[in-house]
Amino acid sequence: MDFDLYERDLWDGRAPAYERGFARVTRYMVDPLLDAAGVVDGTRFLDVGTGPGFVSRAAVRRGAVVSAMDAEPGMVEAARRNVPGLDAHVSVLPEVPFPDGTFGAVAGNFVINHVGEPHVALAALRRVLGKGGRLALSCWVMPGSGALGIVREATERAEVPWPDDIPASPFMEYGETAAFRRLVAEAGFGDVTVEEVTWEHAVDPEEWWETGALSRVGTNGVIVGRQDAATVARIKAAYDEIIAGYALPDGRVALPAHALLASGIR
């Protein structure tokens, strides 16, 4: 299957489950992302792949003039609910529904890894930035580990094969510092920097199983959702073994998250 078509099917109707679960992990990067994009009072700012609107909400609080876009209509609805009055659009990268040079800053929190042609998407984002405008993008370190990889690790330990009809992410080759820097620089941005950011997400392990494996959010959730009850039980047993290694005294687990933050100037 074409990767972009797969992504549209993957996220169709998943906005509530994403907001309830995995979006809580990505919130850690909101302020670092806005800092890297130079978003301050009065900045004309575009939030790409807004999801539930957490980046937009933080930018509004900084006094920015915010527009947002997401490929999934449910995400746009959630963003409008969380950020009243938000100028939010349903649009699929590399389509960006604004004139050239509209924005002083553009940022995307874990969105560039969800497009089939990252270099084409970057060109579109550069187009809508004014001269001297700043781009900031976060992505996961690849291959995913910790919070991103526990369910996948459990399916592998349970000997569940990767389905033939699920395409690998084209972004896999860019999920390390040098490759991500090169991708952004080759799109025409200057002063490109990439830093690795690591944090811990404290969560109840059963809640993480429900939101990360049973809610069909992301490819790992899709794979678990296709299995019969006996196979799901095997995956859950493997998951319990793996996640026990991250236990906190209060019964929660501290899952490490590893991301890259890139920035550049138009």
Side-chain angles (χ1 to χ4, degrees), residues 50-111:
T50 187
F54 298 152
V55 173
S56 288
R57 182 167 61 191
V60 168
R61 289 173 176 169
R62 292 186 179 208
V65 180
V66 181
S67 294
M69 54 178 278
D70 200 285
E72 169 55 34
M75 297 291 191
V76 172
E77 290 177 10
R80 288 173 176 162
R81 168 173 44 81
N82 289 324
V83 191
L86 179 65
D87 175 38
H89 303 257
V90 177
S91 189
V92 181
L93 283 171
E95 296 299 321
V96 183
F98 299 95
D100 295 1
T102 299
F103 300 99
V106 172
N109 202 24
F110 301 102
V111 63

Side-chain angles (χ1 to χ4, degrees), residues 5 10 14 26 49 68 72 77 89 94 121 128 160 174 206 218 223 257:
L5 291 177
L10 175 68
R14 307 320 303 156
T26 64
E72 169 55 34
E77 290 177 10
H89 303 257
V128 298
V160 176
Y174 301 114
E206 292 304 312
I223 292 173

